[in-house]
Amino acid sequence: MIADPLRLVVAINPEAAFGRNRAVGPRVVEALLADGHDVVMLREANVELLRREAVAAIARGVDGLVMVGGDGMVSVGVNLVAGTGVPLGIVAAGTGNDMARGLGLPTDDTHAATSALREALRRPPRAIDAVRVHQGGLASWYSAVLSAGFDAVVNERANRMTRPRGPSRYILALLRELATFRPVDYVLTIDGVRREQKAMLVSVANNSSIGGGMRIVPHADVADGLLDVFIVHRISTLTLLRVFPKVFAGTHIDHPAVEFVTARTVRIEAEGIVAYADGERLGALPVDAEVVPGALRVFA
């Protein structure tokens, strides 16, 4: 038992990792109850119901929101608590788990992830940045990466695929898109400075990775008050095929076609490109992103 029990809402995605981790959520709740915390468990039939119940639970007053699942669940949690002061906990149980990875949390062992959460609840929450994004008149938050190019096109295809299950689905989608993808005409406005260029992709990162460990911005810092704009300039399909796999090790950063720009605000415009933030579909460009330093408190 701990000296200072917390009122916690634990939201569970029963389909995390394609349903392979159904038992994780109840185990997390059981462990937190054993520690003496006051826990409300939420497990609904779909994300919209889960979001609605979480909003109601948070409105009644909580000391923290814990998301059990992958980056999709983290995205839901970020949009519920960013800017509110309510801390977010993560038990990585999905296929990508990039935000948990960026926070130094266990991503391949749900027992270790649960233990890490229990320990983190004994410490003051950590303040990190979040990103406010506007698209089509709607505003939302993200904490990891906004994709608006080849990586977003791959995400679009991967989300339509039912097999294979796991991170390899993203790799297969990538290989299929390579055959037909062409450079995109972008208009970028970075901290008020407009630039027009052809590029293969533009990503706006707060965290270092996407797609289950693809380290597109290995030097990204979630608490530096800055965004890292990742640009891959116009290159041939063959060159892209050679460069893109290097993101897994983060060794692409010295390639002459790769550019990094730090910023606080970014606007991305292009025809025919759909933007994704933290793996969730935002919609067609243009989008505007602005970092909000310390907007998110996390148990990590």
Side-chain angles (χ1 to χ4, degrees), residues 200-215:
M200 308 305 284
L201 65 83
V202 176
S203 294
V204 183
N206 182 49
N207 188 31
S208 59
S209 69
I210 61 172
M214 303 176 80
R215 301 174 63 222

Side-chain angles (χ1 to χ4, degrees), residues 249-268:
T251 57
H252 62 295
I253 59 174
D254 295 325
H255 192 280
V258 171
E259 180 183 3
F260 297 99
V261 183
T262 56
R264 288 181 172 82
T265 63
V266 181
R267 178 175 176 85
I268 309 174

Side-chain angles (χ1 to χ4, degrees), residues 220-243:
D221 183 340
V222 295
D224 63 356
L226 293 170
L227 300 170
D228 290 281
V229 186
F230 170 51
I231 304 168
V232 177
H233 292 268
R234 182 178 183 175
I235 52 178
S236 69
T237 300
L238 180 59
T239 303
L240 182 62
L241 181 60
R242 290 171 178 164
V243 172

Side-chain angles (χ1 to χ4, degrees), residues 4 20 44 48 57 95 126 132 148 190 198 206 208 286 288:
D4 298 308
R20 292 193 299 272
E44 303 295 334
E48 288 307 315
T95 54
R126 171 187 173 192
R132 192 71 164 158
I190 301 174
K198 285 186 178 290
N206 182 49
S208 59
D288 292 274

Side-chain angles (χ1 to χ4, degrees), residues 103-170:
L103 292 171
L105 299 173
T107 58
D108 300 318
D109 183 336
T110 56
H111 291 284
T114 303
S115 296
L117 172 67
R118 295 171 75 178
E119 288 301 315
L121 291 173
R122 299 173 184 269
R123 304 187 297 268
R126 171 187 173 192
I128 66 170
D129 305 332
V131 188
R132 192 71 164 158
V133 60
H134 294 265
Q135 185 278 333
L138 299 176
S140 59
W141 294 89
Y142 73 90
S143 58
V145 179
L146 184 150
S147 302
F150 177 68
D151 47 350
V153 171
V154 171
N155 215 331
E156 186 95 327
R157 175 180 282 273
N159 283 351
R160 295 195 302 266
M161 297 167 59
T162 57
R163 293 183 182 280
R165 296 185 171 187
S168 57
R169 183 174 52 149
Y170 192 94

Side-chain angles (χ1 to χ4, degrees), residues 34-142:
D35 286 342
H37 297 295
D38 180 0
V39 182
V40 173
M41 181 173 69
L42 302 179
R43 185 168 51 176
E44 303 295 334
N46 58 61
V47 171
E48 288 307 315
L49 284 174
L50 190 68
R51 182 182 289 110
R52 185 186 68 186
E53 292 303 311
V55 168
I58 292 170
R60 291 191 290 269
V62 297
D63 297 313
L65 172 67
V66 176
M67 308 305 286
V68 182
D71 288 319
M73 283 291 282
V74 174
S75 176
V76 171
V78 168
N79 277 279
L80 287 169
V81 302
T84 69
V86 176
L88 180 70
I90 301 170
V91 175
T95 54
N97 303 320
D98 285 292
M99 196 59 213
R101 184 175 292 103
L103 292 171
L105 299 173
T107 58
D108 300 318
D109 183 336
T110 56
H111 291 284
T114 303
S115 296
L117 172 67
R118 295 171 75 178
E119 288 301 315
L121 291 173
R122 299 173 184 269
R123 304 187 297 268
R126 171 187 173 192
I128 66 170
D129 305 332
V131 188
R132 192 71 164 158
V133 60
H134 294 265
Q135 185 278 333
L138 299 176
S140 59
W141 294 89
Y142 73 90

